[in-house]
Amino acid sequence: MSEFSRDSSESDPDDVSDPFDEIVEAETGRDPDLAVIEAGSRTLRTRGGPPQADVPARPDDPEADKALRQVEAELATRWGETKLEPSVARIAALMDVLGEPQRAYPAIHITGTNGKTSTARMIEALLGAFDLRTGRYTSPHVQSITERISLDGASIPAERFVETYQDIQPYVEMVDAGQEFRLSFFEVLTGMAYAAFADAPVDVAVVEVGMGGNWDATNVIDGDVAVVTPIDLDHTDRLGETPGEIAKEKAGIVKQGATVILAQQPVDAAQVLLKKAVEVDATVAREGLEFGVVSRQVAVDGQLLTLRGLGGEYEAVYLPLHGAYQAHNAAVALAAVEAFFGVGSQRPEPLDIDTIRKAFASVTSPGRLEIVRRSPTVVLDAAHNPAGARATAEAIREVFDFSRLIGIVGSSGDKNVRGLLEAFEPIFTEVVVTQNSSHRAMDTDELAAIAVEVFGADRVQVEPRLDDALEAAITLAEVEGEYAGGGVLVTGSVITVGEARLLLGRG
């Protein structure tokens, strides 16, 4: 008999009057009922921060800026994040010569396709609000490479970033000399993060995978809590062509005896993840069953939530982020922190509600439905795959009342650009295609050709330079007059969003 069945003390499953089940079913199109999947893993069910820093600018001190640029230049000589040799041998060798810094603190490890960074930021805020010293490692960065390593809710200062690199550089070179391939850009940054966290020292690390999970460089850490945000199709050339195949790679972060927090998943992905949990005797909590979003309503500059956690309900939680998907990220983050504190296992009572409210109210997520200008409204969102674009489009419809919305899209060449554009087509009046400065950027003409097929030639404008694209889009948004309700959405890539953010004077 499945241990996913409800406790006998709970209401009859045939009783449709349970408001939580009704709200969850109405709240999302993703299937919440994974109880049909039979497995022997234990189910986690109870019976019963400080403000985040904004995206950092370049250092004011010329010498510090020069030193940071030198480190960036040296890192750029290594394999980039899109060139991978699926192995943790090199990063394991680096950890060995550094004295295993990743063993010096407990960790919450996060994988998934979308929502990882926002979820990591929420977890960091929650832990910080309970007076724990945190280290957060996320990728990619929006504007500054220092964003990737955070201590106590703020990006590591440039000077400390440089010092950390210089501290581990001799050991990096030692490992390079003994390996077939040099450590990659991402592997060196991962080593820097783990070393910085140990040096701080932190009470807990919040670590986002770079790609996949099993052979990701971050996976030399053993998370006490493993979080899997929604899995969808992305990086299919490396991870697999179905959610189930992709889940096999992402399940690699689930370690022996860990607690696994599962966002709602496609059924084939859930089956893979639950099977892995059984194999390693992991405890599982699933969104829509053990925890979830009870209710949500749009509020000024965000939304007001009631969340069901592992220890009960948390009412009147204000989240200053837009979109249903951010509410689901909040539920996942709350469950992860509850699990870290033993709620639902060692302790039946919920976490302090005032602390939870304070933490969520402090959360920011730069480049995720971020408003950076008014009249017309300019919104930045780093959606870069079809699933992310669909979630963003849904949130735009819910939050904004644009009379016309002009899209600026600059994407990477290795993404499903057609799927992304098709997700945005219903909400874009017109689209301005452009490209960012990255070598990975899709050529403007190639992107324009796809856009014309999706939107029609009369709705597509081409501006190879991002600054020209911004000017063109803002002009198009204003065509009906200053108070007509036009808007601009910049999207398609984290890099595009970061560069637009700089051009618009943020950071």
Side-chain angles (χ1 to χ4, degrees):
M1 178 177 178
S2 171
E3 291 190 42
F4 291 144
S5 57
R6 294 186 179 274
D7 295 338
S8 59
S9 60
E10 296 186 334
S11 61
D12 187 285
D14 294 328
D15 182 1
V16 296
S17 63
D18 185 344
F20 178 71
D21 291 339
E22 293 174 1
I23 291 168
V24 168
E25 184 175 358
E27 178 61 34
T28 176
R30 295 175 289 173
D31 180 7
D33 186 7
L34 302 180
V36 297
I37 301 172
E38 295 294 323
S41 65
R42 294 169 287 130
T43 296
L44 182 60
R45 176 186 284 113
T46 178
R47 298 185 182 273
Q52 302 283 324
D54 200 1
V55 174
R58 299 296 309 185
D60 292 328
D61 180 6
E63 290 302 314
D65 187 56
K66 180 181 178 181
L68 179 60
R69 291 184 186 277
Q70 182 177 346
V71 172
E72 290 172 321
E74 291 179 13
L75 289 171
T77 65
R78 296 180 176 274
W79 278 0
E81 290 171 283
T82 59
K83 186 172 182 180
L84 304 170
E85 197 269 326
S87 167
V88 293
R90 293 178 302 279
I91 186 66
L94 179 61
M95 292 298 98
D96 182 52
V97 296
L98 289 176
E100 305 290 346
Q102 82 282 14
R103 310 292 182 201
Y105 37 79
I108 298 176
H109 203 179
I110 307 168
T111 190
T113 301
N114 291 308
K116 296 187 296 296
T117 297
S118 292
T119 302
R121 283 176 166 269
M122 293 178 195
I123 291 172
E124 175 186 48
L126 288 164
L127 293 169
F130 284 99
D131 296 324
L132 292 183
R133 188 161 203 205
T134 58
R136 171 173 53 84
Y137 181 52
T138 53
S139 61
H141 56 273
V142 177
Q143 286 176 203
S144 171
I145 194 172
T146 60
E147 296 166 40
R148 295 176 180 237
I149 304 174
S150 170
L151 293 173
D152 293 326
S155 299
I156 189 171
E159 295 83 354
R160 190 163 186 174
F161 185 92
V162 171
E163 290 171 1
T164 303
Y165 175 77
Q166 292 172 342
D167 286 344
I168 76 165
Q169 186 179 16
Y171 302 97
V172 168
E173 292 173 352
M174 185 187 309
V175 172
D176 283 344
Q179 297 290 323
E180 181 180 1
F181 304 108
R182 297 170 70 213
L183 287 154
S184 70
F185 168 89
F186 186 73
E187 287 169 334
V188 174
L189 279 175
T190 301
M192 289 174 61
Y194 289 161
F197 296 162
D199 185 61
V202 301
D203 297 315
V204 55
V206 183
V207 178
E208 173 190 339
V209 304
M211 186 185 299
N214 190 49
W215 43 259
D216 186 75
T218 64
N219 205 31
V220 290
I221 206 165
D222 294 331
D224 300 74
V225 178
V227 176
V228 187
T229 67
I231 291 175
D232 211 296
L233 301 182
D234 199 11
H235 302 295
T236 53
D237 56 329
R238 297 181 178 91
L239 301 180
E241 297 183 352
T242 68
E245 291 177 355
I246 293 171
K248 290 180 182 178
E249 287 297 333
K250 295 186 182 294
I253 74 163
V254 179
K255 303 298 175 61
Q256 186 72 35
T259 300
V260 187
I261 305 299
L262 294 184
Q264 292 176 1
Q265 304 289 348
V267 171
D268 61 339
Q271 290 174 323
V272 171
L273 294 164
L274 292 169
K275 180 180 179 182
K276 177 60 181 286
V278 173
E279 292 172 352
V280 297
D281 194 29
T283 301
V284 178
R286 301 149 295 169
E287 184 184 6
L289 293 175
E290 283 72 54
F291 68 92
V293 179
V294 175
S295 66
R296 55 180 294 270
Q297 61 188 73
V298 176
V300 176
D301 293 328
Q303 51 194 310
L304 194 64
L305 309 175
T306 296
L307 302 174
R308 176 180 279 188
L310 305 177
E313 288 195 358
Y314 299 80
E315 298 179 341
V317 175
Y318 173 69
L319 179 68
L321 300 175
H322 297 297
Y325 67 97
Q326 293 288 20
H328 290 285
N329 290 341
V332 169
L334 175 60
V337 172
E338 285 184 306
F340 182 80
F341 285 124
V343 175
S345 53
Q346 288 90 10
R347 51 181 287 182
E349 70 275 7
L351 299 175
D352 179 70
I353 183 61
D354 290 333
T355 305
I356 295 297
R357 288 171 179 157
K358 176 184 175 183
F360 274 122
S362 75
V363 171
T364 64
S365 194
R368 277 76 179 177
L369 280 176
E370 181 186 17
I371 300 171
V372 293
R373 173 184 163 146
R374 302 282 188 180
S375 298
T377 299
V378 178
V379 183
L380 308 180
D381 191 86
H384 56 274
N385 55 47
R390 289 191 294 270
T392 297
E394 179 185 348
I396 289 286
R397 289 190 190 97
E398 176 184 79
V399 176
F400 301 97
D401 188 24
F402 292 127
S403 59
R404 56 191 286 112
L405 178 62
I406 311 303
I408 297 177
V409 178
S411 184
S412 298
D414 59 347
K415 297 296 181 180
N416 180 0
V417 174
R418 181 180 297 276
L420 181 139
L421 292 173
E422 288 173 346
F424 283 126
E425 190 277 333
I427 68 167
F428 285 169
T429 308
E430 298 180 57
V431 62
V432 180
V433 298
T434 188
Q435 68 184 77
N436 57 57
S437 63
S438 168
H439 68 280
R440 295 173 54 200
M442 176 174 280
D443 178 75
T444 310
D445 291 336
E446 184 181 353
L447 179 56
I450 300 172
V452 167
E453 293 177 3
V454 174
F455 289 86
D458 59 334
R459 294 170 62 194
V460 177
Q461 184 168 331
V462 180
E463 296 290 349
R465 288 171 51 105
L466 182 55
D467 54 349
D468 293 336
L470 285 165
E471 182 176 352
I474 289 170
T475 300
L476 288 169
E478 292 175 329
V479 72
E480 293 180 356
E482 184 177 357
Y483 302 106
V488 175
L489 175 64
V490 183
T491 190
S493 165
V494 175
I495 299 170
T496 301
V497 163
E499 292 180 355
R501 207 173 185 275
L502 281 171
L503 288 168
L504 291 165
R506 299 297 295 268

